[in-house]
Amino acid sequence: MKRLALVLVVLGGLIAAAPAKKESVDLLVTGGTVVTVDEKFSLYSPGAVAVRKGEIVAVGPAAEIGSRYAGARYDATGRIVLPGLVNTHTHAAMTLLRGLADDLPLDRWLTENIFPAEGKNVSAAFVYDGTLLAALEMIEGGTTTFADMYYFESDAARAVDKAGLRAVMGETFIDFPVPDHKDLPETLAYMDAFVKRWKGHARITPAAAPHAAYTTGKETLLAARDFAQRHGIPLLIHVAESPKELEDARKTWRKTPVAYLASIGFFDPPSAGPRLPILGAHAIWMDSNDRTLVRQYGVAVSHNPESNMKLASGVADVAEWEKEGLSWGIGTDGPAGSNNDLSMFEAMDFTGKLAKMHEEDPTVLPAREILAAATREGARALGLGQKTGSLEAGKRADLIVVDPRNAHVMPYEDVYSTLVYSAKASDVTDVWVDGKRLLSNRRPVTLDRAAVLDAAVNWRRKVRASLTPAPAEKKP
């Protein structure tokens, strides 16, 4: 009996000492410096992120997460793991017009170059291929979510779906004929079909995108607002982008562009249901009254520092936005001459330096606030704050890995300053959206890189040919 009792005691001790069974996950990104960009700016080094069914189930110290979860491991040792970047303003398909017209002011760039090129070339196929090119660039540069404003947005959405990115896709409302619709009734008919096809998609959010108050009259602006409210979708618009826009608004309406939009009810919330996301791109020329209106109506704004600089449109008071509690994110704008690339790392870098120079104060906009604007706050600005923008349990698994072992980065101290001021898009090695890998050791997984680039070259030949004047006929 004593021997039996001893055996039972030993067995009991062994059972008690047996490790608890680990929970199964699909992916365990572990060993790197995990930059969560949550509200507390939690940082784990070494840290880990556990993912199941496209959702983050746990984030924390690597030892703790590793003791609780088991699954396919990605070893991030020596690397930085952070939320995918959120680009709050693009015209993605305009990659195919990249560099077509440079060193011009906004009005001439648009009216003399971009609008004519678009009129002769933009089609559903153009938008699909151009958006694939943009998606490839964004995946390789660590952008996982973006807001788009262009034409044939249903075809842009097809490209986004193929690439595996997350996006808010804004179909343009404008008061002159454009490639996919000629007037307001056609625009609304297109929107009906667009929303019917894409609303409810896991990664694609359709939106209404009136171009701007100076290209879109009151009737069209309010039609876009009403459509958005009726269908529960976001509104995207350019606003207060240039000195000329401000001057013309004061002459025409005796109001700033922001005050005009408020006066006609463009920002009014729906009579029933939740307030819908409204995002104004650029918002450079806002005074204190404009900023009060934007905050009062819950309108978010997108800061596009490189575009603003390249077109000499002005310098937005971003430090004031941050101080006053405006909702804002960072964007690149389109790559057809107003910026020329879609790198959010460059956009973060310029956001910080431009604000410091403008305020003549090197302490404004610390690097971690800039990283937040490019991730968590950008997602909030697009109405996606519950889904993405930070590495937290319950959010979708949109994350990227940055390799700092490069001559332009090493050695580094503060991880936030490193990401904002030293890291480049080319330092991104791996990307996941919804837990699906889009970039693996710098190789695109969902897109055929060579095919996308070949298509872009072919389109440029067509664009050039369309803009080349026909030779004059010789007189007999």
Side-chain angles (χ1 to χ4, degrees):
M1 287 296 291
K2 287 183 179 179
R3 182 176 295 176
L4 178 60
L6 180 61
V7 170
L8 290 174
V9 168
V10 171
L11 286 174
L14 289 173
I15 292 169
K21 186 178 180 181
K22 294 181 180 181
E23 287 186 47
S24 177
V25 293
D26 301 322
L27 173 67
L28 202 59
V29 178
T30 185
T33 298
V34 176
V35 184
T36 67
V37 203
D38 62 10
E39 293 289 348
K40 297 179 181 178
F41 288 94
S42 303
L43 197 67
Y44 303 103
S45 188
V49 182
V51 177
R52 185 191 300 122
K53 294 182 179 178
E55 182 180 291
I56 297 172
V57 296
V59 183
E64 176 188 324
I65 301 301
S67 69
R68 292 167 53 197
Y69 300 96
R73 294 171 68 91
Y74 173 94
D75 185 2
T77 301
R79 299 185 176 188
I80 303 168
V81 182
L82 67 150
L85 303 177
V86 178
N87 188 338
T88 55
H89 183 56
T90 70
H91 308 285
M94 293 179 80
T95 47
L96 297 182
L97 302 177
R98 195 191 313 264
L100 189 66
D102 288 311
D103 307 321
L104 292 169
L106 175 64
D107 55 334
R108 287 188 56 204
W109 174 73
L110 277 174
T111 59
E112 296 175 16
N113 296 276
I114 298 304
F115 288 158
E118 287 177 332
K120 293 178 180 179
N121 294 281
V122 174
S123 64
F126 177 100
V127 169
Y128 179 75
D129 286 343
T131 306
L132 282 181
L133 178 60
L136 176 63
E137 181 182 355
M138 286 189 274
I139 289 169
E140 292 183 336
T143 294
T144 56
T145 299
F146 70 102
D148 193 47
M149 294 176 69
Y150 209 55
Y151 311 112
F152 294 105
E153 280 296 289
S154 194
D155 294 282
R158 286 196 302 115
V160 171
D161 194 27
K162 178 181 175 66
L165 289 171
R166 192 180 306 283
V168 176
M169 313 294 294
E171 172 65 25
T172 299
F173 286 63
I174 202 163
D175 277 351
F176 53 81
V178 291
D180 61 346
H181 47 82
K182 305 304 178 189
D183 54 27
L184 182 55
E186 283 192 17
T187 306
L188 293 172
Y190 184 96
M191 285 297 300
D192 276 325
F194 175 45
V195 171
K196 183 177 181 181
R197 178 167 183 182
W198 294 104
K199 189 177 179 185
H201 189 281
R203 291 177 286 101
I204 293 168
T205 303
H211 178 265
Y214 63 88
T215 53
T216 311
K218 180 179 177 180
E219 179 189 4
T220 304
L221 287 167
L222 295 184
R225 179 205 65 183
D226 292 346
F227 186 94
Q229 292 186 356
R230 191 162 59 250
H231 291 274
I233 61 174
L235 274 169
L236 311 176
I237 189 169
H238 297 93
V239 64
E241 184 176 358
S242 70
K244 185 178 188 307
E245 180 185 348
L246 178 63
E247 180 184 357
D248 289 349
R250 284 176 170 159
K251 284 180 181 176
T252 305
W253 306 305
R254 299 186 182 277
K255 291 179 174 68
T256 65
V258 170
Y260 168 70
L261 289 171
S263 73
I264 65 170
F266 183 76
F267 299 140
D268 287 355
S271 56
R275 183 184 292 272
L276 301 172
I278 302 176
L279 184 131
H282 300 283
I284 304 165
W285 296 93
M286 293 197 302
D287 57 25
S288 59
N289 181 61
D290 293 332
R291 294 195 300 271
T292 297
L293 287 170
V294 162
R295 190 170 58 253
Q296 172 189 326
Y297 283 104
V299 175
V301 285
S302 172
H303 178 47
N304 297 259
E306 293 172 276
S307 171
N308 299 348
M309 293 165 67
K310 191 166 185 288
L311 295 172
S313 297
V315 182
D317 293 323
V318 188
E320 205 65 32
W321 296 0
E322 180 72 13
K323 189 189 304 180
E324 295 181 4
L326 271 63
S327 173
W328 66 282
I330 298 173
T332 59
D333 205 356
S338 57
N339 183 345
N340 295 45
D341 68 34
L342 298 168
S343 170
M344 282 293 288
F345 283 93
E346 284 185 13
M348 286 194 289
D349 183 29
F350 278 106
T351 291
K353 291 172 181 174
L354 189 59
K356 293 172 192 298
M357 184 186 72
H358 181 61
E359 299 292 325
E360 298 183 352
D361 181 355
T363 69
V364 301
L365 285 191
R368 76 174 195 172
E369 300 298 337
I370 295 171
L371 183 63
T375 52
R376 184 186 71 222
E377 297 306 313
R380 283 180 178 166
L382 296 177
L384 299 175
Q386 297 300 311
K387 280 190 175 183
T388 191
S390 59
L391 302 183
E392 299 180 73
K395 289 196 174 183
R396 304 307 296 170
D398 299 355
L399 61 153
I400 67 174
V401 176
V402 169
D403 184 2
R405 291 190 62 79
N406 295 290
H408 57 269
V409 176
M410 297 296 287
Y412 76 87
E413 255 338 283
D414 180 82
V415 71
Y416 298 106
S417 292
T418 297
L419 290 168
V420 170
Y421 296 124
S422 300
K424 310 298 180 189
S426 57
D427 299 334
V428 175
T429 63
D430 296 84
V431 172
W432 292 263
V433 173
D434 258 357
K436 180 181 179 180
R437 202 165 186 177
L438 308 188
L439 190 72
S440 175
N441 195 26
R442 293 189 171 91
R443 292 180 180 274
V445 176
T446 54
L447 297 177
D448 181 334
R449 193 171 193 275
V452 170
L453 297 179
D454 287 347
V457 171
N458 289 334
W459 275 111
R460 176 47 58 93
R461 292 194 188 103
K462 294 176 185 177
V463 171
R464 280 190 188 136
S466 75
L467 299 177
T468 302
E473 292 185 11
K474 293 181 180 180
K475 294 182 179 180

